[in-house]
Coordinates of all heavy atoms in Angstrom, one line a residue:
M1 N 11.9 -8.4 -7.1 CA 11.2 -8.7 -5.8 C 11.4 -10.1 -5.4 O 11.3 -11.0 -6.3 CB 9.8 -8.3 -5.9 CG 9.2 -8.0 -4.6 SD 7.5 -7.4 -4.7 CE 7.3 -6.7 -6.3
N2 N 11.7 -10.4 -4.2 CA 11.9 -11.8 -3.8 C 10.6 -12.5 -3.4 O 9.7 -11.8 -3.0 CB 12.8 -11.8 -2.5 CG 14.2 -11.3 -2.8 OD1 14.7 -11.5 -3.9 ND2 14.8 -10.6 -1.9
N3 N 10.6 -13.8 -3.6 CA 9.5 -14.6 -3.2 C 9.8 -15.1 -1.8 O 10.7 -15.9 -1.7 CB 9.2 -15.7 -4.2 CG 8.0 -16.5 -3.9 OD1 7.2 -16.1 -3.0 ND2 7.7 -17.5 -4.6
F4 N 9.0 -14.7 -0.8 CA 9.3 -15.1 0.6 C 8.4 -16.3 0.9 O 7.2 -16.3 0.8 CB 9.0 -14.0 1.6 CG 9.9 -12.8 1.4 CD1 9.5 -11.7 0.6 CD2 11.2 -12.8 1.9 CE1 10.4 -10.7 0.4 CE2 12.0 -11.7 1.8 CZ 11.6 -10.7 1.0
G5 N 9.0 -17.4 1.4 CA 8.3 -18.6 1.7 C 8.1 -18.7 3.2 O 8.6 -17.9 4.0
G6 N 7.4 -19.7 3.7 CA 7.3 -19.9 5.1 C 6.2 -19.0 5.7 O 5.4 -18.4 5.1
S7 N 6.3 -18.9 7.1 CA 5.3 -18.1 7.8 C 5.6 -16.7 7.7 O 6.7 -16.3 7.6 CB 5.2 -18.6 9.2 OG 6.4 -18.3 9.9
Y8 N 4.6 -15.8 7.8 CA 4.7 -14.4 7.7 C 4.7 -13.8 9.1 O 3.7 -13.5 9.6 CB 3.6 -13.8 6.8 CG 3.6 -14.3 5.4 CD1 2.7 -15.3 5.0 CD2 4.6 -13.9 4.5 CE1 2.8 -15.7 3.7 CE2 4.6 -14.3 3.2 CZ 3.7 -15.3 2.8 OH 3.8 -15.7 1.5
N9 N 5.9 -13.7 9.7 CA 6.0 -13.3 11.0 C 6.8 -12.1 11.3 O 7.0 -11.6 12.4 CB 6.4 -14.4 12.0 CG 7.7 -15.0 11.5 OD1 8.5 -14.4 10.7 ND2 8.1 -16.1 12.1
T10 N 7.4 -11.5 10.2 CA 8.3 -10.3 10.4 C 7.8 -9.2 9.5 O 7.7 -9.3 8.3 CB 9.7 -10.6 10.1 OG1 10.1 -11.8 10.8 CG2 10.6 -9.5 10.4
E11 N 7.4 -8.1 10.1 CA 7.0 -6.9 9.3 C 8.2 -6.2 8.7 O 9.2 -5.9 9.4 CB 6.2 -6.0 10.2 CG 5.6 -4.8 9.4 CD 4.7 -3.9 10.2 OE1 4.5 -4.2 11.4 OE2 4.2 -2.9 9.7
A12 N 8.1 -5.9 7.4 CA 9.1 -5.1 6.7 C 8.8 -3.6 6.9 O 7.7 -3.2 7.0 CB 9.1 -5.5 5.2
R13 N 9.8 -2.8 6.8 CA 9.7 -1.4 6.6 C 10.0 -1.0 5.2 O 11.1 -1.4 4.7 CB 10.6 -0.6 7.6 CG 10.1 -0.8 9.1 CD 10.8 0.0 10.1 NE 10.8 1.4 9.5 CZ 11.8 2.3 9.9 NH1 12.7 2.0 10.8 NH2 11.8 3.5 9.4
I14 N 9.1 -0.3 4.6 CA 9.2 0.0 3.1 C 9.2 1.5 2.9 O 8.5 2.3 3.6 CB 8.0 -0.6 2.4 CG1 7.9 -2.1 2.7 CG2 8.1 -0.3 0.9 CD1 9.1 -2.9 2.1
R15 N 10.0 1.9 1.9 CA 9.9 3.3 1.4 C 9.3 3.2 0.0 O 9.8 2.6 -0.9 CB 11.3 3.9 1.2 CG 11.3 5.3 0.7 CD 12.7 5.9 0.8 NE 12.7 7.0 -0.1 CZ 13.5 7.1 -1.2 NH1 14.3 6.1 -1.5 NH2 13.4 8.1 -2.0
Y16 N 8.0 3.7 -0.1 CA 7.3 3.6 -1.3 C 7.7 4.6 -2.4 O 7.7 5.8 -2.0 CB 5.8 3.7 -1.0 CG 5.3 2.6 0.0 CD1 5.2 2.8 1.3 CD2 5.2 1.3 -0.5 CE1 4.8 1.9 2.2 CE2 4.8 0.3 0.4 CZ 4.6 0.6 1.7 OH 4.3 -0.4 2.6
L17 N 7.9 4.2 -3.6 CA 8.3 5.0 -4.7 C 7.3 4.9 -5.8 O 6.4 4.1 -5.7 CB 9.7 4.6 -5.2 CG 10.8 4.4 -4.1 CD1 12.0 3.8 -4.8 CD2 11.1 5.8 -3.6
D18 N 7.4 5.7 -6.8 CA 6.5 5.6 -8.0 C 6.9 4.4 -8.7 O 7.9 4.2 -9.3 CB 6.7 6.8 -8.9 CG 6.1 8.1 -8.4 OD1 5.1 8.0 -7.7 OD2 6.7 9.2 -8.7
G19 N 5.9 3.4 -8.7 CA 6.1 2.2 -9.4 C 7.0 1.2 -8.8 O 7.3 0.1 -9.4
D20 N 7.6 1.4 -7.7 CA 8.5 0.5 -7.1 C 8.6 0.8 -5.6 O 8.0 1.8 -5.1 CB 9.9 0.7 -7.7 CG 10.8 -0.5 -7.5 OD1 10.4 -1.6 -6.9 OD2 12.0 -0.5 -7.9
F21 N 9.3 0.1 -4.8 CA 9.6 0.4 -3.4 C 10.9 -0.1 -3.0 O 11.5 -1.0 -3.6 CB 8.5 -0.2 -2.5 CG 8.3 -1.7 -2.6 CD1 9.1 -2.6 -1.9 CD2 7.3 -2.2 -3.5 CE1 8.9 -4.0 -2.0 CE2 7.1 -3.6 -3.6 CZ 7.9 -4.5 -2.8
D22 N 11.5 0.5 -2.0 CA 12.7 0.1 -1.4 C 12.5 -0.5 0.0 O 11.7 0.0 0.8 CB 13.7 1.3 -1.2 CG 14.3 1.8 -2.4 OD1 14.5 1.0 -3.4 OD2 14.6 3.0 -2.5
I23 N 13.1 -1.6 0.2 CA 13.0 -2.3 1.6 C 14.0 -1.6 2.5 O 15.2 -1.7 2.3 CB 13.2 -3.8 1.4 CG1 12.2 -4.4 0.5 CG2 13.2 -4.4 2.8 CD1 12.4 -5.9 0.2
V24 N 13.5 -1.0 3.5 CA 14.4 -0.3 4.5 C 14.8 -1.3 5.6 O 15.9 -1.3 6.0 CB 13.6 0.9 5.2 CG1 14.4 1.5 6.3 CG2 13.2 1.9 4.1
T25 N 13.8 -2.1 6.0 CA 14.1 -3.2 7.0 C 13.5 -4.4 6.5 O 12.3 -4.5 6.2 CB 13.5 -2.9 8.4 OG1 14.0 -1.6 8.8 CG2 13.8 -3.9 9.4
M26 N 14.3 -5.5 6.3 CA 13.8 -6.7 5.7 C 12.7 -7.3 6.6 O 12.6 -7.2 7.8 CB 14.9 -7.8 5.6 CG 15.9 -7.5 4.6 SD 15.2 -7.4 2.9 CE 14.8 -9.1 2.7
G27 N 11.7 -8.0 5.9 CA 10.6 -8.6 6.5 C 9.8 -9.4 5.5 O 10.1 -9.3 4.3
E28 N 8.8 -10.0 5.9 CA 8.0 -10.8 4.9 C 6.7 -10.1 4.5 O 6.1 -10.5 3.5 CB 7.6 -12.2 5.6 CG 8.8 -13.1 5.7 CD 9.6 -12.9 6.9 OE1 9.1 -12.4 7.9 OE2 10.8 -13.3 6.9
Y29 N 6.3 -9.1 5.3 CA 5.0 -8.5 5.0 C 5.0 -7.0 5.4 O 5.9 -6.6 6.1 CB 3.8 -9.2 5.7 CG 3.9 -9.1 7.2 CD1 3.3 -8.0 7.8 CD2 4.5 -10.0 8.0 CE1 3.3 -7.9 9.2 CE2 4.6 -9.9 9.3 CZ 4.0 -8.8 10.0 OH 4.0 -8.7 11.3
V30 N 4.0 -6.3 4.9 CA 3.6 -5.0 5.4 C 2.1 -5.0 5.8 O 1.4 -5.9 5.5 CB 3.9 -3.9 4.3 CG1 5.3 -3.7 4.1 CG2 3.1 -4.1 3.1
I31 N 1.7 -4.0 6.5 CA 0.3 -3.9 7.0 C -0.5 -2.9 6.2 O 0.0 -1.8 5.9 CB 0.3 -3.5 8.5 CG1 1.1 -4.4 9.4 CG2 -1.1 -3.3 9.0 CD1 0.5 -5.8 9.5
C32 N -1.7 -3.3 5.7 CA -2.6 -2.5 5.0 C -3.0 -1.3 5.9 O -3.4 -1.6 7.1 CB -3.8 -3.2 4.5 SG -5.0 -2.2 3.7
A33 N -2.8 -0.1 5.5 CA -3.1 1.1 6.3 C -4.6 1.2 6.6 O -4.9 1.9 7.6 CB -2.6 2.3 5.6
V34 N -5.4 0.6 5.9 CA -6.9 0.8 6.1 C -7.4 -0.5 6.8 O -8.1 -0.3 7.8 CB -7.6 1.0 4.8 CG1 -9.1 1.0 5.0 CG2 -7.1 2.2 4.1
S35 N -7.1 -1.7 6.3 CA -7.8 -2.9 6.8 C -7.0 -3.6 7.9 O -7.5 -4.4 8.7 CB -8.0 -3.9 5.7 OG -6.8 -4.4 5.2
G36 N -5.7 -3.3 8.0 CA -4.8 -3.9 9.0 C -4.4 -5.3 8.6 O -3.7 -6.0 9.3
I37 N -4.7 -5.7 7.4 CA -4.4 -7.0 6.8 C -2.9 -7.1 6.5 O -2.3 -6.1 6.0 CB -5.1 -7.3 5.5 CG1 -6.6 -7.5 5.8 CG2 -4.6 -8.6 4.8 CD1 -7.5 -7.5 4.6
Q38 N -2.2 -8.2 6.8 CA -0.9 -8.4 6.4 C -0.8 -8.7 4.9 O -1.5 -9.6 4.4 CB -0.3 -9.6 7.2 CG 0.0 -9.4 8.6 CD 0.6 -10.6 9.3 OE1 1.0 -11.6 8.7 NE2 0.8 -10.5 10.6
I39 N 0.1 -8.0 4.2 CA 0.3 -8.2 2.8 C 1.7 -8.7 2.6 O 2.7 -8.0 2.8 CB 0.2 -6.8 2.1 CG1 -1.1 -6.1 2.5 CG2 0.3 -7.0 0.6 CD1 -1.1 -4.6 2.1
P40 N 1.8 -10.0 2.1 CA 3.2 -10.5 1.8 C 3.8 -9.6 0.7 O 3.2 -9.1 -0.2 CB 2.9 -11.9 1.2 CG 1.5 -12.2 1.8 CD 0.8 -10.9 1.9
L41 N 5.1 -9.4 0.9 CA 5.8 -8.5 0.0 C 5.7 -8.9 -1.5 O 5.6 -8.1 -2.4 CB 7.3 -8.3 0.3 CG 7.6 -7.6 1.6 CD1 9.1 -7.4 1.7 CD2 6.9 -6.2 1.6
D42 N 5.6 -10.2 -1.7 CA 5.5 -10.7 -3.1 C 4.1 -10.5 -3.7 O 3.9 -10.7 -4.9 CB 6.0 -12.1 -3.3 CG 5.2 -13.1 -2.5 OD1 4.5 -12.7 -1.6 OD2 5.4 -14.3 -2.7
E43 N 3.2 -10.0 -2.8 CA 1.8 -9.7 -3.3 C 1.5 -8.2 -3.2 O 0.4 -7.8 -3.5 CB 0.8 -10.5 -2.5 CG 0.9 -12.0 -2.7 CD 0.0 -12.8 -1.8 OE1 -1.0 -12.2 -1.3 OE2 0.2 -14.0 -1.6
L44 N 2.5 -7.4 -2.8 CA 2.2 -6.0 -2.6 C 2.1 -5.3 -4.0 O 3.1 -5.3 -4.8 CB 3.4 -5.3 -1.8 CG 3.3 -3.8 -1.6 CD1 2.1 -3.4 -0.8 CD2 4.6 -3.4 -0.8
K45 N 1.0 -4.7 -4.3 CA 0.7 -4.1 -5.6 C 0.2 -2.6 -5.5 O 0.3 -1.9 -6.4 CB -0.3 -4.9 -6.4 CG 0.1 -6.3 -6.7 CD -1.0 -7.0 -7.4 CE -0.6 -8.5 -7.5 NZ -1.8 -9.3 -7.6
Y46 N -0.3 -2.3 -4.3 CA -1.0 -1.0 -4.1 C -0.4 -0.2 -2.9 O -0.3 -0.8 -1.8 CB -2.5 -1.2 -3.9 CG -3.1 -2.1 -5.0 CD1 -3.4 -3.4 -4.7 CD2 -3.4 -1.6 -6.2 CE1 -4.0 -4.2 -5.7 CE2 -4.0 -2.4 -7.2 CZ -4.2 -3.7 -6.9 OH -4.8 -4.5 -7.9
W47 N 0.0 1.0 -3.2 CA 0.5 1.9 -2.1 C 0.4 3.3 -2.5 O 0.1 3.7 -3.7 CB 1.9 1.5 -1.8 CG 2.9 1.7 -2.9 CD1 3.5 2.9 -3.3 CD2 3.4 0.7 -3.7 NE1 4.3 2.6 -4.4 CE2 4.3 1.3 -4.6 CE3 3.2 -0.7 -3.8 CZ2 5.0 0.6 -5.6 CZ3 3.9 -1.4 -4.8 CH2 4.8 -0.8 -5.7
S48 N 0.6 4.2 -1.6 CA 0.6 5.7 -1.8 C 2.0 6.2 -1.5 O 2.5 6.0 -0.4 CB -0.4 6.4 -0.9 OG -0.2 7.8 -0.9
V49 N 2.6 6.8 -2.5 CA 3.9 7.5 -2.3 C 3.7 8.7 -1.4 O 4.5 8.9 -0.5 CB 4.5 7.9 -3.7 CG1 5.7 8.7 -3.5 CG2 4.7 6.7 -4.6
E50 N 2.6 9.4 -1.7 CA 2.3 10.6 -0.9 C 2.2 10.3 0.6 O 2.8 11.0 1.5 CB 1.0 11.3 -1.4 CG 0.6 12.5 -0.6 CD -0.8 13.0 -1.1 OE1 -1.3 12.5 -2.2 OE2 -1.3 13.9 -0.5
R51 N 1.4 9.3 1.0 CA 1.2 9.0 2.4 C 2.1 7.9 2.9 O 2.1 7.6 4.1 CB -0.3 8.6 2.5 CG -1.2 9.7 2.4 CD -2.7 9.3 2.6 NE -3.2 8.4 1.6 CZ -3.5 8.8 0.3 NH1 -3.5 10.1 0.0 NH2 -4.0 7.9 -0.5
Q52 N 2.9 7.2 2.0 CA 3.8 6.1 2.4 C 3.0 5.1 3.2 O 3.3 4.6 4.3 CB 4.9 6.6 3.3 CG 5.9 7.5 2.5 CD 6.6 6.7 1.5 OE1 7.4 5.8 1.8 NE2 6.4 7.0 0.2
E53 N 1.9 4.6 2.5 CA 1.0 3.6 3.0 C 0.8 2.5 2.0 O 0.8 2.7 0.8 CB -0.4 4.2 3.3 CG -0.5 5.2 4.3 CD -1.9 5.8 4.5 OE1 -2.7 5.7 3.6 OE2 -2.1 6.3 5.6
A54 N 0.6 1.3 2.5 CA 0.3 0.1 1.7 C -1.2 -0.2 1.8 O -1.8 0.1 2.8 CB 1.1 -1.1 2.1
Y55 N -1.7 -0.8 0.7 CA -3.1 -1.2 0.7 C -3.3 -2.6 0.2 O -2.6 -3.1 -0.7 CB -3.9 -0.3 -0.2 CG -3.7 1.2 0.1 CD1 -3.0 2.0 -0.8 CD2 -4.1 1.7 1.3 CE1 -2.8 3.3 -0.4 CE2 -3.9 3.0 1.6 CZ -3.2 3.8 0.8 OH -3.0 5.1 1.1
A56 N -4.2 -3.4 0.7 CA -4.4 -4.8 0.4 C -5.0 -5.0 -1.0 O -4.7 -6.0 -1.6 CB -5.2 -5.5 1.5
T57 N -5.8 -4.1 -1.4 CA -6.5 -4.3 -2.7 C -6.6 -2.9 -3.4 O -6.4 -1.9 -2.8 CB -7.9 -4.8 -2.6 OG1 -8.7 -3.8 -1.9 CG2 -8.0 -6.1 -1.8
G58 N -6.8 -3.0 -4.7 CA -7.0 -1.8 -5.5 C -8.2 -1.0 -5.0 O -8.3 0.2 -5.0
E59 N -9.3 -1.7 -4.7 CA -10.5 -1.1 -4.2 C -10.2 -0.3 -2.9 O -10.7 0.8 -2.8 CB -11.6 -2.1 -3.9 CG -12.9 -1.5 -3.5 CD -14.0 -2.6 -3.4 OE1 -14.0 -3.6 -4.1 OE2 -14.8 -2.4 -2.4
I60 N -9.5 -0.9 -2.0 CA -9.1 -0.2 -0.8 C -8.3 1.1 -1.1 O -8.5 2.1 -0.5 CB -8.4 -1.1 0.2 CG1 -9.3 -2.2 0.8 CG2 -7.8 -0.3 1.4 CD1 -8.7 -3.2 1.6
S61 N -7.4 0.9 -2.0 CA -6.5 2.1 -2.4 C -7.4 3.2 -3.0 O -7.2 4.4 -2.6 CB -5.5 1.6 -3.4 OG -4.8 2.7 -4.0
F62 N -8.3 2.9 -3.9 CA -9.2 3.8 -4.5 C -10.0 4.5 -3.5 O -10.1 5.8 -3.5 CB -10.0 3.2 -5.6 CG -11.0 4.1 -6.3 CD1 -10.5 5.1 -7.1 CD2 -12.3 4.0 -6.1 CE1 -11.4 5.9 -7.8 CE2 -13.2 4.8 -6.7 CZ -12.7 5.8 -7.6
Q63 N -10.6 3.8 -2.6 CA -11.5 4.4 -1.5 C -10.7 5.3 -0.6 O -11.2 6.4 -0.2 CB -12.2 3.3 -0.7 CG -13.2 3.8 0.3 CD -14.3 4.5 -0.4 OE1 -14.9 4.0 -1.4 NE2 -14.6 5.7 0.0
R64 N -9.5 4.9 -0.3 CA -8.6 5.7 0.6 C -8.3 7.1 -0.1 O -8.3 8.1 0.5 CB -7.3 5.0 0.9 CG -6.4 5.8 1.8 CD -6.8 5.9 3.2 NE -5.7 6.3 4.0 CZ -5.8 6.7 5.2 NH1 -6.9 6.8 5.8 NH2 -4.7 7.0 5.9
E65 N -8.0 7.0 -1.4 CA -7.8 8.2 -2.2 C -9.0 9.1 -2.2 O -8.8 10.3 -2.0 CB -7.4 7.9 -3.6 CG -6.7 9.0 -4.3 CD -5.3 9.4 -3.7 OE1 -4.6 8.5 -3.1 OE2 -5.0 10.6 -3.9
L66 N -10.2 8.6 -2.4 CA -11.4 9.4 -2.3 C -11.6 10.0 -0.9 O -12.0 11.1 -0.8 CB -12.6 8.5 -2.7 CG -12.7 8.1 -4.2 CD1 -13.9 7.3 -4.4 CD2 -12.7 9.3 -5.1
D67 N -11.3 9.2 0.1 CA -11.5 9.7 1.5 C -10.5 10.8 1.8 O -10.9 11.8 2.5 CB -11.3 8.6 2.5 CG -12.4 7.5 2.5 OD1 -13.4 7.7 1.9 OD2 -12.1 6.4 3.0
M68 N -9.3 10.7 1.3 CA -8.3 11.8 1.5 C -8.5 13.0 0.6 O -8.1 14.1 1.0 CB -6.9 11.2 1.3 CG -6.6 10.0 2.3 SD -6.7 10.5 4.0 CE -5.4 11.6 4.2
H69 N -9.1 12.8 -0.5 CA -9.4 13.9 -1.5 C -10.8 13.9 -1.9 O -11.1 13.5 -3.1 CB -8.4 13.8 -2.7 CG -7.0 13.8 -2.3 ND1 -6.3 15.0 -2.1 CD2 -6.1 12.8 -2.2 CE1 -5.1 14.7 -1.8 NE2 -4.9 13.4 -1.8
P70 N -11.7 14.3 -1.1 CA -13.2 14.3 -1.4 C -13.5 15.1 -2.7 O -14.5 14.8 -3.3 CB -13.9 14.9 -0.2 CG -12.8 15.3 0.8 CD -11.5 14.9 0.2
E71 N -12.7 16.0 -3.0 CA -13.0 16.8 -4.3 C -12.9 15.9 -5.5 O -13.5 16.3 -6.6 CB -12.0 18.0 -4.4 CG -10.6 17.6 -4.7 CD -9.7 17.2 -3.5 OE1 -10.3 17.1 -2.3 OE2 -8.5 17.1 -3.6
L72 N -12.3 14.8 -5.4 CA -12.2 13.9 -6.6 C -13.6 13.2 -6.8 O -13.8 12.7 -7.9 CB -11.2 12.7 -6.3 CG -9.8 13.2 -6.2 CD1 -8.9 12.0 -5.9 CD2 -9.3 13.8 -7.5
R73 N -14.5 13.2 -5.9 CA -15.8 12.7 -6.1 C -16.7 13.5 -7.0 O -17.6 13.1 -7.6 CB -16.5 12.5 -4.7 CG -15.9 11.5 -3.8 CD -16.7 11.4 -2.5 NE -16.0 10.6 -1.5 CZ -16.2 9.3 -1.4 NH1 -17.0 8.6 -2.3 NH2 -15.5 8.6 -0.5
K74 N -16.3 14.8 -7.0 CA -17.1 15.8 -7.9 C -16.5 15.8 -9.3 O -15.3 16.1 -9.4 CB -17.1 17.2 -7.3 CG -17.6 17.2 -5.9 CD -17.4 18.5 -5.2 CE -17.8 18.5 -3.8 NZ -17.4 19.7 -3.1
R75 N -17.3 15.6 -10.2 CA -16.8 15.6 -11.6 C -17.6 16.6 -12.4 O -18.8 16.7 -12.3 CB -17.0 14.2 -12.3 CG -16.1 13.2 -11.8 CD -16.2 12.0 -12.6 NE -15.1 11.1 -12.5 CZ -14.8 10.1 -13.2 NH1 -15.6 9.7 -14.2 NH2 -13.8 9.4 -13.0
D76 N -16.9 17.3 -13.2 CA -17.6 18.3 -14.1 C -18.2 17.5 -15.3 O -17.6 16.6 -15.8 CB -16.6 19.3 -14.7 CG -16.1 20.2 -13.6 OD1 -16.8 20.4 -12.6 OD2 -15.1 20.8 -13.8
K77 N -19.5 17.7 -15.6 CA -20.1 16.9 -16.6 C -20.4 17.8 -17.8 O -20.4 18.9 -17.8 CB -21.4 16.3 -16.1 CG -21.2 15.3 -15.1 CD -22.5 14.7 -14.6 CE -22.1 13.7 -13.5 NZ -23.3 12.9 -13.2

């Protein structure tokens, strides 16, 4: 992954894969699907392959997964 310097003014288009991603259109950042925050590509750590979405934090990613799959909230004890 490249380290992009300077201002973050160009959004990248990304294809999210398991454990990696492909840059479809070069840019400096992607947008968090939940918060709308710009995520510099060199800081991108959380995404959904299923939904092809990026997330700014692990907490946001986890909450989005629970929102999309409410059955995960129920645990057999």
Side-chain angles (χ1 to χ4, degrees):
M1 203 171 339
N2 294 327
N3 185 5
F4 296 96
S7 64
Y8 298 104
N9 57 13
T10 307
E11 184 176 357
R13 290 191 46 206
I14 303 292
R15 182 171 157 247
Y16 299 101
L17 309 170
D18 286 328
D20 200 4
F21 57 85
D22 286 332
I23 300 173
V24 176
T25 303
M26 288 301 291
E28 288 84 25
Y29 67 88
V30 292
I31 302 292
C32 175
V34 176
S35 69
I37 294 171
Q38 290 184 4
I39 308 163
L41 289 187
D42 61 347
E43 295 178 19
L44 179 59
K45 298 176 187 155
Y46 308 102
W47 60 81
S48 168
V49 174
E50 176 185 352
R51 289 181 294 282
Q52 291 295 294
E53 297 177 334
Y55 308 110
T57 67
E59 184 176 324
I60 291 172
S61 174
F62 179 68
Q63 187 60 51
R64 178 73 162 166
E65 198 63 30
L66 291 177
D67 291 346
M68 298 304 291
H69 298 282
E71 69 277 8
L72 295 175
R73 293 179 189 273
K74 301 172 186 170
R75 290 189 160 188
D76 293 336
K77 293 183 180 186

